[in-house]
Amino acid sequence: MRLIERRSYLRQLESVRGVPDIRVLRGVRGSGKTELLSDLAHQISLSDPNANIIRAELRDSPELRDYGALHSFAEESFLEGKENCLLIDDADLCPSVELALASLHAMGKFDIYITCSGDFLSLSPLGTLLTGRTFDIPVFPFSFSEFLEQSGSPDRCAAFREYMARGGMPGSCLCGSSEERQRCVRKEVLESVFRDIGANGRVRNKGLPERLTRHLLQNAGRPMTVKEIAAELGAAKGRKPVSGTGTALELLCNACAFHRIRQLDIRSVYRLFPESLYYPVDPSFFHALPGVREPDPVQVLRAIAAVELMRRGYEVWTGVPGGNDADLIGIKFGERLCLKVSGIIDSNEALLREAAPLHEIRDGSERLILAKTRKPEQQYEGIRVLDIADWLLSPEPES
């Protein structure tokens, strides 16, 4: 394994350098935000050797976790006549950090970048202070392309099988055995998320986040309402529906550990439905918690495809049975991409079965079938059929 430069994120950060907004690098714990911030500091110093780079690493500097102390540190580090770049890592560790950020932003003297674990601004009562002043950059675990680059594997098919099991959490990618990888994801990522939710104070049942995570992993890709999830959690122990389930679910999604994908019928004037699907941000989550049964490989593929669409800037939805029964619908700049994700298509009958729902979509949307074909791209009555690994490695469309 070797360290890699996450060039797509660095290009995005370079494109917004100097704009007045606060750049917020948001993602689940362990997704590589701290290393990305270090790479950004190096990139700035290369392009402007005279730049004044002010680093505030709150995890290693508890004295800066007071918003007043953080504000004073930034002011005292300012140098007149230079480009002053303020980089705050783990900003969510500082209570009321929004007060410091709003004040520093109003001064107009700093180019501000922060990292945070999840969308903490949406949960903070002070989050409105920064409304309209932030530029959000979601940071995901390694894509398959990044995983392949880091692993250096010459066998793409073997690497993809490994990616389905190992996932792309940067820390776990450096571990050797599967046990070490699972322990790393469980201890460094999931248990950290559970602790954060417990410390939030909104969930009284301290064991609920882990129980809910297990339930979501075992039912990944199944349409569910919050009420149904609460009832199923209670029924598992012979009790009434578990209170606090909706809050815990909201916090898991705000921590970017899971992504909620709502159902959408694009043939019925975009009618929404109450059920949602939940996919983990990384396939390693399926294997990280003891006692969670082996996942359905197709659901793992759909989770990977859903997160890849988000990584590429799409809003992601799912179709509805009997309407547009697409597994995933990506919408970006008004254009729609409808996907069916399958395991192995080894016969013409299987291809006909997977293509049938996409034939019902005749509104000009791009239609794709992703599967383990291990063949070059095919066309079937206007529907593209791609090997999912080829699609994951294909260049992202230009915005």
Side-chain angles (χ1 to χ4, degrees), residues 185-204:
V185 174
R186 183 172 67 252
K187 296 290 185 182
E188 302 299 325
V189 182
L190 290 176
E191 290 186 4
S192 294
V193 170
F194 300 154
R195 284 196 300 271
D196 291 345
I197 292 176
N200 182 277
R202 294 175 59 193
V203 178
R204 296 182 180 180

Side-chain angles (χ1 to χ4, degrees), residues 117-353:
S117 297
D119 189 11
F120 83 103
L121 292 177
S122 69
L123 300 177
S124 168
L126 298 173
T128 54
L129 286 173
L130 299 179
T131 300
R133 304 178 185 182
T134 59
F135 183 88
D136 194 42
I137 301 175
V139 178
F140 296 91
F142 285 159
S143 65
F144 177 53
S145 175
E146 292 171 322
F147 177 86
L148 191 62
E149 181 182 354
Q150 190 195 54
S151 68
S153 173
D155 187 338
R156 192 209 63 185
C157 293
F160 186 66
R161 288 195 299 271
E162 188 176 10
Y163 181 66
M164 288 182 65
R166 181 192 289 263
M169 298 305 298
S172 71
C173 286
L174 300 175
C175 298
S177 68
S178 59
E179 292 79 10
E180 289 174 339
R181 296 194 300 269
Q182 292 167 8
R183 189 182 305 112
C184 177
V185 174
R186 183 172 67 252
K187 296 290 185 182
E188 302 299 325
V189 182
L190 290 176
E191 290 186 4
S192 294
V193 170
F194 300 154
R195 284 196 300 271
D196 291 345
I197 292 176
N200 182 277
R202 294 175 59 193
V203 178
R204 296 182 180 180
N205 184 344
K206 301 303 181 184
L208 178 56
E210 182 172 348
R211 284 185 59 205
L212 178 58
T213 295
R214 291 173 180 274
H215 187 79
L216 295 178
L217 291 173
Q218 296 191 151
N219 293 276
R222 178 167 72 88
M224 301 178 288
T225 64
V226 175
K227 186 176 180 179
E228 288 170 346
I229 296 172
E232 289 167 5
L233 286 174
K237 292 197 172 185
R239 300 174 183 171
K240 297 185 296 184
V242 177
S243 62
T245 298
T247 300
L249 187 58
E250 177 192 9
L251 293 172
L252 276 174
C253 292
N254 272 282
C256 301
F258 284 86
H259 290 288
R260 178 191 184 196
I261 299 177
R262 299 187 66 185
Q263 290 186 312
L264 178 69
D265 188 351
I266 60 176
R267 298 197 310 169
S268 301
V269 197
Y270 288 84
R271 184 161 59 101
L272 293 174
F273 291 76
E275 296 88 355
S276 297
L277 282 61
Y278 295 91
Y279 285 123
V281 71
D282 189 70
S284 64
F285 287 15
F286 285 108
H287 311 278
L289 293 176
V292 175
R293 65 174 178 264
E294 190 67 19
D296 178 353
V298 175
Q299 293 298 0
V300 177
L301 293 177
R302 288 174 182 163
I304 291 172
V307 173
E308 182 65 22
L309 286 172
M310 296 175 196
R311 188 182 281 113
R312 297 184 181 199
Y314 286 90
E315 293 181 34
V316 183
W317 310 80
T318 186
V320 293
N324 55 302
D325 191 12
D327 292 325
L328 297 167
I329 302 169
I331 302 178
K332 181 165 67 171
F333 304 132
E335 299 293 327
R336 289 186 296 276
L337 175 63
C338 299
L339 302 181
K340 285 292 290 182
V341 183
S342 181
I344 298 174
I345 296 180
D346 54 4
S347 66
N348 192 53
E349 290 75 14
L351 177 59
L352 290 172
R353 182 180 65 249

Side-chain angles (χ1 to χ4, degrees), residues 65-83:
R65 295 180 193 172
D66 175 81
Y67 72 89
L70 179 62
H71 191 284
S72 298
F73 169 76
E75 282 198 285
E76 292 165 3
S77 303
F78 176 80
L79 295 178
E80 194 69 48
K82 293 181 178 288
E83 179 185 6

